[in-house]
Amino acid sequence: MSHTPTSSTPGNASGAAAKPTLSGVRIRQRKGQAKAAAKFEPEAFRDSLLLYLEVVPNPPTNDALVTKLVQAGASLEFLKYSEQLFELLFVGGLLQPGGSYVDEKRSPFFILQDDSELGDWNPVKGIVEVLQRVIQRYRYLQKPLEETFLPDLLGYIPKWNPSQRAKLAEAVALFVADVGIQAKCLQSLAKDHVVKDGVALSFLTAFFHTYLSKQSIEHLSSNLRKSGLRDILAVFPQQSRDRATLEAHFKKEGLTQVVDWYAKAALSGVRTNTISTITRMINDEETNEVIIEHLKTQQAENPVPEADLCEWIWLGWMGAFDWTARGDQLDTNVVQYVSRLAPSLEPFALSAKAQVNVLNTAQVYCYQETRILKAFPQLVKVLYNADCVSDQAVIYWHQKGAKPQGKQHFLKVTQALVDFLEEDSEDEDE
């Protein structure tokens, strides 16, 4: 039995229920949307933060400052105004582009402050510890500090006097060494207007003094590599940008650790370049004479210890060696290969130390590259016949100069050669 509807909803032909509508009701904006849309007012933020800081006793305590800043962070937008927060705590007031102050209003406590105004409280160490603890509470502050604020601020350091720059350098060193802030800001020291008049150099020198009082040179080296400051020579004025000036400066400053570290770092760069260049020249089928000429020119321009150079030459050779032959042919191939290239090593293997290092380099390489392990005695003979190593160097290496890697094996397989050389040497003496 069917039923026919007797009525429908007025104004709705389909019979569906009409959706309710609201009139005269104000839709409230979400809190996050309201904050995002709020007008950016750095001076208003500054004034609000100063109200919190004004009630801190003078001289302050770190605990009192941390307490007030954490309280302020609960109501003020630290993330939105992170730059202004750091400006107040580092330099005391708001900065305009270029590094000049916006007005005369100052924070009662900041890093560049005159110590005499604060009794026994040290503004540099105090603010660093305070900010460290505040950042532990508001983690989102670390990124703008290390990626934006500090790089910008170091671009302004010519604005400050030497005493203020020294304080800022100490603070940055403490942030990097103890707090774990990345040292990306050091890239700003290489800018021309900062390098001018030795400003960047004096800043980096003060930075090193503080850093090395807290951490090792290895720790510093690691952070310098991550900083993006590729070469600390970039902070020296253009007319004195050479290694001799660098070494003289840091020795005078009592920073011999920096001098030694830089020498090792420079040597590492030359090593990489030398090995890759030799490999490329061999692949390009350059003659031994051309390789020798290149290495002599390099030694004249940037001398390195002979022992190191000989090791790099060997590694450059091996970088171009064809490893695609069958296993039973590799031994023969590598002996022939080294025999062909040995004349390019001979002019540089002149000292006893260099010759022993040639043998040790070959030993360690064969130990690590086991495919040519059996070729080692023949390689020693090739190097001896090409005057790359002397009989005395081979004998010394065998008696007490060999490396520990596979030592007993290598001494055993070269025993016959050493016996021959010793007998030959005795015959010559007679």
Side-chain angles (χ1 to χ4, degrees):
M1 182 177 179
S2 62
H3 296 276
T4 304
T6 57
S7 63
S8 63
T9 303
N12 189 344
S14 65
K19 294 181 179 180
T21 59
L22 296 175
S23 58
V25 177
R26 182 170 62 87
I27 306 298
R28 294 184 64 187
Q29 190 178 35
R30 289 186 178 182
K31 188 176 181 181
Q33 292 175 322
K35 280 188 174 183
K39 184 178 179 182
F40 181 68
E41 297 179 315
E43 288 86 356
F45 170 84
R46 185 262 321 274
D47 295 342
S48 298
L49 182 62
L50 290 182
L51 291 176
Y52 283 92
L53 297 181
E54 284 172 359
V55 299
V56 177
N58 191 350
T61 64
N62 293 352
D63 289 343
L65 271 174
V66 170
T67 298
K68 285 302 174 184
L69 286 170
V70 169
Q71 288 178 0
S75 58
L76 302 179
E77 298 178 72
F78 274 2
L79 181 58
K80 184 175 183 178
Y81 293 98
S82 61
E83 181 180 348
Q84 287 69 39
L85 169 66
F86 296 138
E87 285 176 349
L88 290 169
L89 295 177
F90 272 79
V91 301
L94 299 186
L95 300 178
Q96 55 188 334
S100 300
Y101 286 107
V102 169
D103 53 33
E104 297 300 318
K105 283 194 175 182
R106 297 288 180 271
S107 166
F109 314 109
F110 58 99
I111 286 174
L112 298 192
Q113 196 166 4
D114 185 350
D115 298 29
S116 62
E117 302 174 10
L118 301 167
D120 294 333
W121 189 73
N122 184 312
V124 176
K125 295 178 180 177
I127 294 296
V128 169
E129 182 187 327
V130 167
L131 264 176
Q132 179 182 13
R133 292 166 61 183
V134 171
I135 290 172
Q136 288 173 347
R137 175 65 178 82
Y138 300 111
R139 285 287 181 186
Y140 55 75
L141 288 174
Q142 180 166 337
K143 187 174 181 180
L145 175 63
E146 64 188 16
E147 294 189 358
T148 307
F149 176 75
L150 286 177
D152 288 346
L153 186 65
L154 264 60
Y156 300 152
I157 58 173
K159 292 281 185 180
W160 319 117
N161 63 45
S163 174
Q164 291 172 323
R165 290 199 293 265
K167 287 184 176 182
L168 186 57
E170 180 185 355
V172 174
L174 292 174
F175 272 114
V176 179
D178 288 348
V179 182
I181 296 296
Q182 293 187 35
K184 297 178 180 179
C185 57
L186 296 182
Q187 294 182 60
S188 298
L189 298 179
K191 295 179 178 178
D192 290 343
H193 73 283
V194 184
V195 170
K196 186 180 178 183
D197 299 326
V199 171
L201 179 57
S202 65
F203 183 96
L204 190 65
T205 303
F207 175 93
F208 285 162
H209 275 296
T210 298
Y211 199 109
L212 291 173
S213 72
K214 295 286 185 176
Q215 299 287 358
S216 67
I217 188 66
E218 291 76 21
H219 194 277
L220 172 62
S221 173
S222 175
N223 272 312
L224 284 175
R225 284 196 303 271
K226 299 173 186 175
S227 72
L229 183 64
R230 295 183 179 182
D231 189 345
I232 60 173
L233 268 179
V235 307
F236 283 74
Q238 188 68 45
Q239 66 274 16
S240 57
R241 198 168 288 179
D242 57 77
R243 184 169 163 182
T245 303
L246 180 148
E247 292 181 352
H249 171 78
F250 288 116
K251 282 180 180 178
K252 181 180 177 182
E253 291 288 335
L255 292 167
T256 54
Q257 295 165 282
V258 175
V259 175
D260 295 341
W261 161 77
Y262 189 83
K264 290 179 181 178
L267 196 65
S268 177
V270 178
R271 177 186 188 274
T272 300
N273 182 65
T274 302
I275 293 171
S276 61
T277 300
I278 291 173
T279 297
R280 177 186 55 77
M281 295 179 78
I282 294 171
N283 286 329
D284 290 345
E285 299 182 352
E286 298 285 5
T287 65
N288 287 331
E289 289 73 17
V290 172
I291 295 174
I292 291 170
E293 188 62 32
H294 168 79
L295 292 172
K296 285 184 175 179
T297 301
Q298 176 181 296
Q299 280 293 81
E301 296 175 352
N302 193 7
V304 299
E306 279 186 0
D308 291 325
L309 181 60
C310 290
E311 176 184 347
W312 305 343
I313 292 172
W314 173 276
L315 295 175
W317 289 353
M318 293 300 110
F321 180 63
D322 181 6
W323 294 92
T324 60
R326 286 181 0 190
D328 57 354
Q329 294 178 332
L330 273 177
D331 289 347
T332 301
N333 288 359
V334 75
V335 171
Q336 293 175 347
Y337 176 76
V338 171
S339 181
R340 176 169 62 85
L341 292 172
S344 67
L345 173 63
E346 185 270 333
F348 307 101
L350 302 177
S351 67
K353 183 177 180 180
Q355 293 176 12
V356 172
N357 200 43
V358 168
L359 293 167
N360 277 327
T361 301
Q363 173 198 335
V364 173
Y365 193 88
C366 289
Y367 175 78
Q368 295 172 339
E369 186 48 77
T370 55
R371 290 179 290 176
I372 59 171
L373 185 66
K374 294 179 181 179
F376 181 74
Q378 293 300 318
L379 291 173
V380 175
K381 289 180 182 178
V382 165
L383 293 169
Y384 173 73
N385 291 332
D387 290 331
C388 295
V389 296
S390 66
D391 53 354
Q392 292 304 312
V394 176
I395 294 169
Y396 176 86
W397 169 84
H398 193 271
Q399 290 178 346
K400 53 185 176 182
K403 292 285 188 180
Q405 292 92 326
K407 179 176 179 178
Q408 295 309 314
H409 166 77
F410 291 113
L411 296 185
K412 182 178 179 181
V413 297
T414 55
Q415 184 66 59
L417 173 62
V418 172
D419 289 344
F420 168 79
L421 294 176
E422 287 179 333
E423 291 175 7
D424 191 53
S425 178
E426 289 173 1
D427 290 344
E428 287 184 1
D429 290 342
E430 292 176 2

